[in-house]
Amino acid sequence: MTCLFCRIVAGEIDSDIVYRDEISTAFRDINPQAPVHILVVPNDHIPSVASIAPEQEQLVGHLLHVAGTLAKREGIATRGFRLVVNTGPDAGQSVDHLHVHLLGGRHLSWPPG
Ligand code: 5GP
Ligand code: ZN
């Protein structure tokens, strides 16, 4: 298994896991860009948003629900937070396993760079 996030889900690589269920795993980003920076990933390998199959729609919705739940747990839901899903080279996707960035705990400027 060569995919980094598959290996984190499998426990082959250590990470600070904050949530796990039968569909998804969430862990703190190793290079945080905000006071709260968590990655929510499907346990099964999906390369990117561009490769989501119709039968995976519910799974992807689950990732957003988990992200929202974690935002509340981390205490950033009231002031606000941002979910980011970089997809492909122009967006800077560096790990080809679908992941939702949960960012918060500071003001986040817009538009993104
Ligand atoms: P992308 O650039 O693909 O949108 O996001 C990939 C994210 O994965 C980056 O924010 C990067 O810091 C994070 N990351 C890369 N390798 C590791 C790792 O080994 N452990 C953790 N926890 N995060 C990682
Ligand atoms: Zn993977």
Side-chain angles (χ1 to χ4, degrees):
M1 194 192 300
T2 55
C3 170
L4 176 64
F5 288 174
C6 281
R7 296 187 70 187
I8 286 177
V9 168
E12 293 176 11
I13 294 176
D14 278 345
S15 68
D16 186 356
I17 290 177
V18 295
Y19 178 85
R20 184 196 283 283
D21 62 29
E22 64 281 359
I23 296 168
S24 65
T25 299
F27 50 91
R28 296 194 191 278
D29 197 291
I30 203 167
N31 182 24
Q33 301 302 311
V36 175
H37 188 173
I38 291 169
L39 302 173
V40 185
V41 311
N43 292 342
D44 290 337
H45 184 82
I46 301 173
S48 80
V49 167
S51 53
I52 295 168
E55 62 271 20
Q56 292 170 323
E57 278 186 25
Q58 199 173 349
L59 178 157
V60 175
H62 183 75
L63 301 181
L64 296 195
H65 183 246
V66 168
T69 301
L70 292 175
K72 281 184 243 167
R73 189 195 284 179
E74 295 283 323
I76 57 173
T78 303
R79 287 185 60 90
F81 58 90
R82 184 171 295 164
L83 304 182
V84 174
V85 187
N86 295 319
T87 306
D90 267 3
Q93 183 178 4
S94 62
V95 179
D96 289 335
H97 180 128
L98 180 64
H99 48 284
V100 177
H101 295 259
L102 166 61
L103 295 152
R106 66 167 171 83
H107 178 75
L108 300 162
S109 58
W110 190 264

